[in-house]
Amino acid sequence: MTAVEAGEAATAPARSVAEGVGESGGEDGGVLSRAHRALTIGIVSVVLVIAFEATAVGTAMPVAARDLDGVALYAFAFSGYFTTSLFGMVLAGQWSDRDGPLASLATGIGAFAAGLLLSGTAGGMWTFILGRAVQGLGGGLVIVALYVVVGRAYPQRLRPAIMAAFAAAWVVPSVVGPLAAGAVTEHLGWRWVFLGIPALVGVPLALALPQIRRRTSGPAGTADRAPLDRRRIRLALGIALGAGLLQYAAQDLRPLSLVPAAAGAALIVPAVRGLLPRGTWRAARGLPSVVLLRGVSAGAFIAAESFVPLMLVTQRGLSPTLAGLSLAAGGGTWALGSWVQARPRVEPYRERLMFLGMLLVAAAVAAAPSVLIPAVPVWTVAVAWAFGCFGMGLVIASTSVLLLQLSAPEEAGANSAALQISDALSNVLLLAVGGAAFAALGGGTVAGTATGAASGASASHPAAFAAVFLPMAGVALLGAWVTTRLREPAGTG
């Protein structure tokens, strides 16, 4: 991507925000009007830090796994984050509905930074995964709290614009993050990628927390300050523990691993039934299908994306910097997709746009493993991922908008938690499936130093990567069907 192209991608969502301000800059004119400017800048800064972490860590992860002799646990390093975030999301939903989102957001950012420090100083792969788990707990607290802030502080007409602003915050990190992380990994070591990001945490805290305290404190509406629902907390612990057991079993692949797999399923099934809207797993129309689509889309995409840098490093001999840059254009196209869904004139066609988005995701995921064929140019992945990220921008932002439209103010925290639980649980389960297929077909045996990887030395079989990508493309096609069930039945509120 050239500097001009990156600038054009960045200005598209920026125009969306600017148009929301209005010419008069009135008190309630838009997300950057006087009424909302400080809060918008603060919470978008939080998203900016999360975006830098995601793009930087994804670039450094293949080298970290190899140096810690943990390539066989590569998928666990990603899913460990999502596993603990499940508990954080449920806790944040109740905490935010009860006391407002301030405490959840502040605690989450602190845990997020602590997890990065733990991973950056890890001496072994399991300690590294533990750090990712602590980071995931913080991430779960943060993301739900942000949704509650949007639901409380912004009127419905501005919510698509603030979601577009969130997407715009990923543009610069998507371009700069892989370059910076790759350069740091190659010249200073992967640990400095993890240790450097916590330094960025102070700015979002200083910007966001005072505004959140002023605008969104206390229980929603006129509701009394109710105690935390201990049953939901127990279910959250069950779903997190169950997801961890399933992921562990998927990485083991011995007959004995059926025991933790069965225990994990026994914990997850009742927890999911209690934490997600009734009818989610049968795609009941309305809110249940919105929650299901979020999980299907995010799980398929993230499970596939997690293996893109590893595939390019080990199969095509790219450096970590170039492998990370293969995903860079996606930040701009994701933001562009989010900007498109924020246009008022496309509101009547939202479901059709989401259907198109899922088709683009399926096509991108299916096209990625074509680079396993030596004659296929490596830039094919970058092009495919740009289209897939555009589709994700249409879908992810729209699910957030639809969720808030379908939620009463006092239910915004619980429903936002359900949306994020669906997202994270699908990530864990599909990463477990993909990781198991990867390991079973000889994926986890990558050998050599960073230099060796860069020269293409690898013991992994190409089929191990194909076994990850192609099933995820099928899951994305399932998501396209779910988009036909997002409207509530006629006659319902």
Side-chain angles (χ1 to χ4, degrees):
M1 172 181 280
T2 67
V4 173
E5 289 168 335
E8 290 174 349
T11 56
R15 287 194 299 269
S16 170
V17 175
E19 290 169 5
V21 176
E23 294 295 328
S24 64
E27 194 65 26
D28 194 36
V31 296
L32 291 180
S33 65
R34 288 190 298 272
H36 301 292
R37 185 182 300 123
L39 179 61
T40 296
I41 293 173
I43 61 177
V44 170
S45 297
V46 173
V47 176
L48 188 68
V49 171
I50 294 173
F52 266 114
E53 181 275 336
T55 56
V57 167
T59 301
M61 192 73 78
V63 178
R66 184 172 50 244
D67 286 356
L68 295 174
D69 194 24
V71 173
L73 298 173
Y74 185 78
F76 218 169
F78 285 96
S79 62
Y81 177 101
F82 297 118
T83 298
T84 53
S85 70
L86 290 165
F87 177 72
M89 290 167 186
V90 177
L91 179 60
Q94 292 205 42
W95 200 353
S96 297
D97 284 342
R98 179 176 181 261
D99 296 325
L102 176 65
S104 176
L105 185 65
T107 304
I109 291 178
F112 190 80
L116 284 166
L117 294 174
L118 182 57
S119 290
T121 56
M125 192 62 178
W126 283 112
T127 305
F128 181 87
I129 291 170
L130 177 61
R132 293 285 290 164
V134 174
Q135 190 185 345
L137 176 64
L141 291 170
V142 169
I143 191 64
V144 172
L146 285 177
Y147 274 69
V148 175
V149 170
V150 172
R152 290 195 184 190
Y154 296 87
Q156 182 172 317
R157 66 180 181 84
L158 294 182
R159 291 170 190 166
I162 194 64
M163 294 301 174
F166 284 173
W170 282 79
V171 175
V172 172
S174 295
V175 177
V176 176
L179 277 173
V184 170
T185 298
E186 292 176 22
H187 298 290
L188 298 177
W190 63 266
R191 295 182 184 277
W192 288 103
V193 174
F194 290 84
L195 297 176
I197 294 173
L200 304 175
V201 167
V203 173
L205 282 174
L207 289 171
L209 296 189
Q211 288 297 317
I212 294 172
R213 180 184 295 110
R214 185 177 304 115
R215 306 275 303 273
T216 65
S217 297
T222 58
D224 294 330
R225 188 173 184 271
L228 294 177
D229 186 338
R230 294 183 179 181
R231 175 179 173 274
R232 290 183 66 85
I233 298 298
R234 289 194 299 269
L235 291 175
L237 286 171
I239 201 172
L241 179 58
L245 289 172
L246 282 178
Q247 180 64 36
Y248 178 81
Q251 294 295 309
D252 196 352
L253 295 182
R254 293 180 299 174
L256 191 60
S257 66
L258 292 175
V259 175
L267 288 169
I268 284 179
V269 171
V272 166
R273 290 174 63 88
L275 292 172
L276 300 186
R278 186 185 301 274
T280 296
W281 295 114
R282 57 181 174 84
R285 290 189 176 275
L287 181 62
S289 284
V290 172
V291 172
L292 177 60
L293 178 62
R294 180 57 164 264
V296 169
S297 59
F301 188 80
I302 296 300
E305 186 179 59
S306 299
F307 284 85
V308 169
L310 186 66
M311 178 175 65
L312 294 177
V313 168
T314 62
Q315 300 299 309
R316 297 300 298 262
L318 269 65
S319 68
T321 303
L322 291 177
L325 279 175
S326 68
L327 307 177
T333 57
W334 189 311
L336 181 61
S338 185
W339 173 78
V340 169
Q341 66 79 38
R343 300 296 79 213
R345 65 175 62 94
V346 307
E347 180 63 33
Y349 311 104
R350 185 175 295 280
E351 288 79 8
R352 295 181 188 178
L353 284 176
M354 296 171 79
F355 178 80
L356 172 63
M358 290 310 304
L359 291 183
L360 290 173
V361 171
V365 174
S370 66
V371 298
L372 295 169
I373 302 171
V376 176
V378 293
W379 50 258
T380 301
V381 170
V383 174
W385 228 247
F387 280 98
C389 285
F390 179 78
M392 287 295 287
L394 293 174
V395 173
I396 296 299
S398 290
T399 57
S400 302
V401 171
L402 289 175
L403 177 103
L404 293 174
Q405 287 179 359
L406 297 170
S407 300
E410 65 274 11
E411 297 175 344
N415 287 345
S416 296
L419 190 76
Q420 299 302 326
I421 288 168
S422 178
D423 186 320
L425 181 61
S426 181
N427 287 336
V428 171
L429 295 180
L430 292 180
L431 275 167
V433 171
F438 181 72
L441 292 178
T445 55
V446 178
T449 63
T451 302
S455 65
S458 171
S460 292
H461 196 285
F465 291 98
V468 174
F469 288 99
L470 298 182
M472 297 309 152
V475 174
L477 286 176
L478 174 64
W481 171 77
V482 176
T483 64
T484 66
R485 313 220 6 117
L486 300 178
R487 289 189 180 274
E488 291 186 317
T492 63

